[in-house]
Amino acid sequence: MADVPPAVPGSALTRVTRRRTRVGLVSGGLGAYWPQFPGLLERLRESARFVTERFEEMDCEVVDAGFVSDPQEAAGAAGKLRAADCDIVVTFLTTYLTASMVLPIAQRAHAPVLVIDLQPTEAMDHANTDTGAWLAYCGQCPLPEIANVFRRGGIPFRSVSGHLRDENAWERIRRWIRAARVRGVLRHGRHGLMGHLYPGMLDVSTDMTLVSTRFGGHVEVLEFDDLRVRVAAVPDAATAERVALAREIFTLDGSVDEGDLAWAARVSVGLDRLVEDFGLDSLAYYHRGLEGEIHERLGAGMILGASLLTARGVPMAGEYELRTSLAMLVADTLGAGGSFTEFQALNFRDRVVEMGHDGPAHLAIGSGDPLLRGLGVYHGKRGWGVSVEFDVEHGPVTTFGIGQEADGTLTFIASEGEVVPGPLLEIGNTTSRVDFGFDPGEWTDAWSATGVGHHWTLCTGHRAKDLRAAAGLLGVPFRAVDGPGEL
């Protein structure tokens, strides 16, 4: 089954649709066997058809380059896969073949390669297995050969071994497909960056060129005036409809001012049009503003619309946090939601880290109905309006952030924990209590030492393996915090 991103229950929100993950597939075996063992090739092709069907069940666009029997056919398959612009190429070893039949694919397809060997059943029926039948079981035989050649060629090697109906193997394969989905979203993504850096937040500053050269995609630089003209054009009827949608999704606290809610709704409709006009897959924003002028009012009015868009699969991060909006997009692509987060407090009595943020929330992963609260002051920011209060659904979660090193290297950083119930702030912030299994102070030290920056995304489920796989396909380092750091 395909991984389904979360949706907001009982609402009129519809998720955005994106390009399907494009998986290249080539199967192969040693052609010298075919005249020696009649029927073997057809049996192996039947296995290849089964594998193709399993990939199609993952909601992938499968580019099947066929079955290859020698290096010349492999070179032809590589050309087809290169033209297809795949997010990942899967090479299915149905039996023994030489490394010369796999190397051209890895060199020319211009996509990361996953090598799989899935024998027909979990074990041979030895008493009834002749040489021809045995050869259908020896797809793992060339695996070390291929790994050796990849290493000598400087090509990243990854593999999954199992049998055709081995669900453990298929889950490992699905992990690589989820990683390829992340690679595809980033390669083809358009990431908005609107406004300016929050003054003094040096960790937030991100090299836009590095984002495009390392991950692919495009960073679109926007002005708040791009939003201003669209908000000004929003009809009253559209504003009223958005207010009704807010009332459907949120519980409204008595502190909510009707005029502030209407303004947030109008800005929300304008944000939708901005996203559509610029074809955005994510947006990071901030504007300081001054004395209630229009840009300050726009910045203060974005929380409702940003939360609604995040729930639809277009993540929004405040404070100009481009790396975190990208992390939120990665998490959402994995079906894990992903909500804008930073430290709020440490609770040593309950051994939890309290984390969240003022501003956008991923409404699809809340533990209950989110609440809109009216705020006369946004701490550390100018303006006033409505803000979101919620906590991430209780259970397994992963903190995930993208760091940037001194040499410009981007890194994936993750830690797995559990959101647990307990008292929460009631100040118009997202807040979750996360238990990482050891002292919260020690976790805080270890997490901070990774170089993650002071924002990240909180996503549902234990996702470290998925994120490690995605980092591998993207060619960036992966770091996990799973215990106290060393002094």
Side-chain angles (χ1 to χ4, degrees):
M1 296 292 292
D3 296 288
V4 180
V8 181
S11 82
L13 291 179
T14 56
R15 287 187 56 85
V16 297
T17 57
R18 292 195 175 95
R19 168 186 175 274
R20 293 169 68 199
T21 306
R22 192 167 297 163
V23 176
L25 177 63
V26 58
S27 307
L30 188 65
Y33 296 149
W34 315 150
Q36 294 177 325
F37 304 100
L40 174 61
L41 176 58
E42 182 50 38
R43 182 180 186 184
L44 299 180
R45 282 180 166 158
E46 183 178 342
S47 294
R49 286 191 289 270
F50 176 85
V51 167
T52 299
E53 290 171 0
R54 287 298 299 258
F55 279 114
E56 290 172 343
E57 290 173 2
M58 299 179 201
D59 194 31
C60 298
E61 178 186 344
V62 180
V63 180
D64 193 340
F67 196 102
V68 301
S69 301
D70 56 45
Q72 292 85 353
E73 291 181 357
K80 180 178 180 179
L81 295 173
R82 177 175 180 173
D85 186 30
C86 298
D87 299 312
I88 192 171
V89 167
V90 180
T91 301
F92 175 28
L93 313 181
T94 65
T95 184
Y96 176 77
L97 47 68
T98 63
S100 64
M101 296 171 61
V102 180
L103 183 61
I105 295 167
Q107 289 176 320
R108 303 176 193 177
H110 284 194
V113 173
L114 170 66
V115 180
I116 65 174
D117 59 278
L118 303 174
Q119 63 188 37
T121 64
E122 60 185 351
M124 289 185 292
D125 177 4
H126 295 78
N128 296 298
T129 301
D130 59 15
T131 302
W134 157 67
L135 286 172
Y137 280 82
C138 69
Q140 71 287 143
C141 180
L143 200 63
E145 175 181 339
I146 293 165
N148 173 277
V149 172
F150 275 28
R151 179 179 291 269
R152 290 163 69 178
I155 300 167
F157 174 78
R158 51 192 72 85
S159 67
V160 172
S161 300
H163 62 87
L164 287 176
R165 290 169 175 81
D166 178 359
E167 287 308 312
N168 176 57
W170 279 108
E171 175 52 34
R172 288 149 59 206
I173 291 169
R174 281 192 291 270
R175 183 174 300 133
W176 288 113
I177 299 306
R178 290 192 290 268
R181 186 169 296 131
V182 168
R183 179 175 182 263
V185 164
L186 292 179
R187 282 200 309 133
H188 296 274
R190 290 177 55 83
H191 315 295
L193 195 57
M194 184 171 70
H196 60 81
L197 187 71
Y198 188 107
M201 286 187 182
L202 303 181
D203 63 317
V204 168
S205 178
T206 301
D207 183 340
M208 292 184 293
T209 303
L210 184 65
V211 169
S212 293
T213 55
R214 170 51 65 189
F215 293 152
H218 169 71
V219 179
E220 182 74 14
V221 177
L222 302 169
E223 303 282 354
F224 256 73
D225 288 320
D226 291 316
L227 177 61
R228 175 182 59 80
V229 296
R230 288 166 175 80
V231 170
V234 173
D236 291 343
T239 299
E241 289 176 3
R242 190 55 51 95
V243 168
L245 177 62
R247 292 185 182 279
E248 174 189 343
I249 295 172
F250 294 90
T251 297
L252 268 62
D253 183 73
S255 59
V256 172
D257 177 84
E258 290 295 329
D260 290 344
L261 177 59
W263 174 248
R266 186 178 295 274
V267 174
S268 174
V269 177
L271 266 176
D272 286 358
R273 294 179 179 179
L274 182 81
V275 165
E276 182 179 354
D277 290 346
F278 286 94
L280 301 180
D281 295 289
S282 68
L283 176 67
Y285 65 90
Y286 175 76
H287 185 81
R288 182 167 54 189
L290 185 66
E291 297 181 349
E293 53 83 34
I294 184 61
H295 297 93
E296 178 184 290
R297 295 296 296 130
L298 287 167
M302 289 186 63
I303 293 174
L304 172 63
S307 298
L308 294 174
L309 277 165
T310 299
R312 292 178 53 209
V314 184
M316 302 269 156
E319 298 178 8
Y320 213 62
E321 186 42 292
L322 174 59
R323 295 200 311 278
T324 300
S325 62
L326 293 174
M328 292 165 68
L329 179 61
V330 169
D332 190 80
T333 300
L334 291 172
S339 206
F340 192 39
T341 307
E342 66 183 359
F343 285 125
Q344 290 179 324
L346 304 182
N347 187 324
F348 292 95
R349 181 187 60 233
D350 297 338
R351 294 179 63 82
V352 297
V353 180
E354 297 180 23
M355 60 178 68
H357 209 281
D358 61 318
H362 197 308
L363 303 177
I365 61 171
S367 64
D369 289 341
L371 180 139
L372 276 183
R373 186 180 295 277
L375 296 179
V377 174
Y378 290 150
H379 70 273
K381 303 180 181 71
R382 291 174 177 159
W384 66 93
V386 296
S387 191
V388 174
E389 202 170 285
F390 97 138
D391 67 324
V392 169
E393 64 185 45
H394 300 171
V397 291
T398 303
T399 56
F400 166 52
I402 299 176
Q404 185 172 344
E405 301 293 298
D407 63 359
T409 300
L410 296 170
T411 57
F412 275 21
I413 303 163
S415 185
E416 296 179 342
E418 182 177 1
V419 171
V420 296
L424 301 171
L425 288 171
E426 298 180 359
I427 60 171
N429 280 208
T430 66
T431 305
S432 297
R433 296 159 46 91
V434 188
D435 182 353
F436 291 98
F438 57 100
D439 180 82
E442 292 184 81
W443 183 85
T444 298
D445 291 336
W447 180 249
S448 301
T450 64
V452 68
H454 83 280
H455 298 124
W456 54 89
T457 186
L458 183 62
C459 46
T460 56
H462 284 167
R463 306 288 178 164
K465 290 181 179 179
D466 286 341
L467 292 166
R468 183 187 296 274
L473 292 194
L474 292 164
V476 300
F478 176 82
R479 295 175 185 162
V481 173
D482 50 18
E486 297 181 2
L487 292 176

